[in-house]
Amino acid sequence: MGINQDQVSKVMKYRWVVFVILALAYFFVYFHRVSTSVVASDIMSTFGVGAASIGLLGSAYFYAYTAMQLPSGILTDIWGVKKTAGVFTLLAALGAILTGVASSFTMVLLGRVLIGIGVGMVYIPVMKVLAIWFKKNEFASMSGVLLAVGNIGALSAAGPLAMMAAFFGDWQKVFLMLGIFSVLLAIGIFTLVKEKPEDMGCPSIAEIEAQEKGENYVAPKGVSKVPMGEALRQTFSAGMKFWPISIWFFFMYGSLMVYQGLWGGPFLRDVLGWDNATSAGILSLIAVGMIFGCPIAGYLSDKVLKSRKKVLIAGTAVYIVLWGVIWSQAGNITSTTAYILIHFLFGFFGGFFVVSYAQVKEWFPASIVGTSTGAYNIFPFLGGAIFMTITGKMMEVPSGTTASVAQYKSVWLLMFACMIFAFLCLLVSKEKGSEEAAVPVKVNDINEASASTQRYR
């Protein structure tokens, strides 16, 4: 029996409602991620703290975010997308409100931790939505769109955040308003998000795809979940299929956040003498670059090079060259035009990291894709947390003074050297070929892995 086309149309339309509301939540993931860099000077002035405290504040988000990646996968499977994303968006809202009313740096730090925990539970639920509500050949493209939305959030945390803080004359009022809006967003998630098309009495995406291919659809039967311990064992014992690219991501994203999320703005102000608005505007070009780079990288991977690893190698190589320019020419380049170009390219090629999720995902059976993605997602944010802490110590200066060019150059050199090592790790990483099998699972799990595609796809 054929599928009712009205129901197919309903699925194809409503999936955008689900995606848009959760993508809006992901917008704030990136907004909060880079906001510290924009208001760093204001926080230091308000609470009388130094660079080390700002480094701690920046890293607090990443430590909290990192800690929530495995729980995110587990809770998404147990609670579902709606409850996981809704509850933790409320927690992020609480963190933003606490930041907005904080009377001490300790309260701001606690608010930052709550924000990190809250937004740390958004990405995996959205990825599951992409797997359930979108076709297999749409996954990479939609992942790129999602990352583009996130970087629009980062863009908004650069120029617009600085302008709003200046307009209201108080950066804390901005965070208070963000908290209130996030409460409304959480209500929207609880109200509008559906777990899967079947919840509306409609056919699944798998059924729709089967009909389009002229195939008979066989509904999965007797699907049970792989125990968490076994899923973790399979993920972390995957050897060269998992570890080299995870180490690469640790350094890749860690270095990106050191610049975009923490020290890029202060560098432009301390070394080049630009005001907050100019610095934030120039820094926002990184996010603009990513808005274009993420979806283009996905397209190149899927349609042109038909390879994840080749795209990652090309993007990383250019990204390293740009780090070399930022380090070697620090203090020498003063042209705003030059920094516009550097920052745009830095974001554009840095955004190629989005393809790495597909490279990792393809190695694992559908039954553990949530766990493997969550495990992989630990590494970039752990890199951000650790490098923000380290560079905070490197950038510490006596009260009332600004960091020197030499201090910034030492941080940039560290990032440049780390990225060379990361590139070597990427070169030895394994990309799944059409003739290769995914990570082995027990024989009695094979049918489950195939059937459970319906839960994750």
Side-chain angles (χ1 to χ4, degrees):
M1 179 181 290
I3 300 175
N4 184 303
Q5 291 305 305
D6 289 337
Q7 290 183 332
V8 173
S9 177
K10 183 178 180 180
V11 171
M12 292 304 177
K13 290 178 180 178
Y14 199 80
R15 64 181 185 165
W16 291 107
V17 175
V18 177
F19 174 76
V20 167
I21 190 70
L22 289 173
L24 185 56
Y26 193 66
F27 170 96
F28 287 103
V29 172
Y30 268 64
F31 184 98
H32 287 296
R33 189 172 298 169
V34 303
S35 62
T36 300
S37 178
V38 179
V39 296
S41 298
D42 294 321
I43 295 172
M44 293 168 73
S45 175
T46 301
F47 299 107
V49 297
S53 294
I54 295 300
L56 175 62
L57 185 65
S59 66
Y61 171 101
F62 288 94
Y63 282 120
Y65 196 105
T66 301
M68 299 311 296
Q69 292 315 291
L70 281 179
S72 178
I74 296 170
L75 286 180
T76 299
D77 289 339
I78 295 174
W79 283 2
V81 169
K82 177 189 296 189
K83 188 174 181 181
T84 302
V87 167
F88 283 91
T89 296
L90 279 176
L91 187 64
L94 176 61
I97 291 171
L98 181 60
T99 301
V101 300
S103 57
S104 68
F105 179 77
T106 301
M107 290 179 67
V108 173
L109 184 61
L110 177 58
R112 185 72 172 169
V113 170
L114 291 177
I115 289 171
I117 292 173
V119 300
M121 301 292 280
V122 172
Y123 182 73
I124 300 301
V126 182
M127 292 298 283
K128 188 169 182 178
V129 161
L130 295 185
I132 292 174
W133 284 87
F134 290 85
K135 300 174 184 178
K136 184 177 181 180
N137 62 4
E138 295 173 327
F139 185 87
S141 298
M142 291 305 300
S143 296
V145 171
L146 178 65
L147 266 294
V149 171
N151 280 284
I152 293 173
L155 178 61
S156 299
L161 175 58
M163 289 187 287
M164 284 191 294
F167 177 80
F168 289 106
D170 185 352
W171 63 273
Q172 287 185 277
K173 288 182 180 178
V174 179
F175 279 88
L176 184 59
M177 290 187 294
L178 289 173
I180 295 171
F181 183 82
S182 295
V183 171
L184 299 177
L185 179 59
I187 293 172
I189 292 172
F190 284 120
T191 304
L192 298 174
V193 169
K194 305 292 184 184
E195 297 293 330
K196 55 187 183 297
E198 295 93 314
D199 291 346
M200 302 189 303
C202 296
S204 68
I205 291 295
E207 291 179 79
I208 295 172
E209 285 185 293
Q211 183 186 55
E212 291 176 345
K213 296 176 182 177
E215 300 173 351
N216 292 324
Y217 173 74
V218 179
K221 297 180 180 179
V223 176
S224 61
K225 297 178 181 178
V226 174
M228 184 54 55
E230 175 62 17
L232 290 173
R233 186 197 66 78
Q234 290 182 29
T235 299
F236 289 114
S237 65
M240 299 297 287
K241 301 167 184 175
F242 180 79
W243 284 103
I245 195 169
S246 297
I247 295 171
W248 163 83
F249 209 6
F250 174 90
F251 290 108
M252 172 71 192
Y253 202 77
S255 66
L256 180 64
M257 284 298 100
V258 160
Y259 193 88
Q260 183 190 21
L262 194 60
W263 297 118
F267 167 77
L268 297 177
R269 294 189 292 269
D270 292 347
V271 175
L272 301 183
W274 295 348
D275 58 32
N276 283 351
T278 302
S279 299
I282 297 296
L283 194 66
S284 70
L285 268 296
I286 296 176
V288 173
M290 283 193 171
I291 290 169
F292 288 95
C294 289
I296 288 176
Y299 178 81
L300 290 174
S301 176
D302 286 340
K303 306 298 183 181
V304 182
L305 297 179
K306 300 185 185 302
S307 167
R308 316 304 189 190
K309 187 174 177 178
K310 288 178 182 178
V311 173
L312 292 174
I313 288 174
T316 304
V318 179
Y319 180 78
I320 291 173
V321 170
L322 291 167
W323 259 122
V325 172
I326 290 171
W327 158 60
S328 64
Q329 299 304 310
N332 297 328
I333 299 177
T334 58
S335 166
T336 56
T337 302
Y339 271 105
I340 286 173
L341 179 61
I342 290 171
H343 284 168
F344 177 84
L345 294 176
F346 191 77
F348 184 89
F349 289 101
F352 277 33
F353 74 77
V354 66
V355 175
S356 70
Y357 286 100
Q359 178 168 324
V360 170
K361 176 180 175 290
E362 288 168 355
W363 278 116
F364 296 93
S367 54
I368 65 169
V369 70
T371 301
S372 60
T373 302
Y376 180 61
N377 221 29
I378 289 173
F379 292 88
F381 301 104
L382 184 62
I386 291 176
F387 281 125
M388 282 186 168
T389 302
I390 292 172
T391 57
K393 295 294 185 182
M394 295 172 67
M395 295 298 297
E396 186 70 289
V397 295
S399 178
T401 62
T402 58
S404 65
V405 177
Q407 283 179 289
Y408 283 107
K409 291 192 72 170
S410 67
V411 170
W412 303 162
L413 176 59
L414 174 62
M415 297 300 99
F416 178 61
C418 286
M419 281 310 305
I420 292 175
F421 176 74
F423 187 72
L424 297 177
C425 292
L426 179 62
L427 290 178
V428 300
S429 70
K430 300 291 186 181
E431 178 178 21
K432 184 182 178 184
S434 59
E435 76 287 351
E436 295 174 284
V439 174
V441 295
K442 294 180 291 186
V443 174
N444 61 359
D445 283 337
I446 292 178
N447 290 334
E448 172 196 327
S450 175
S452 63
T453 301
Q454 312 312 322
R455 292 188 287 116
Y456 291 103
R457 285 191 55 244

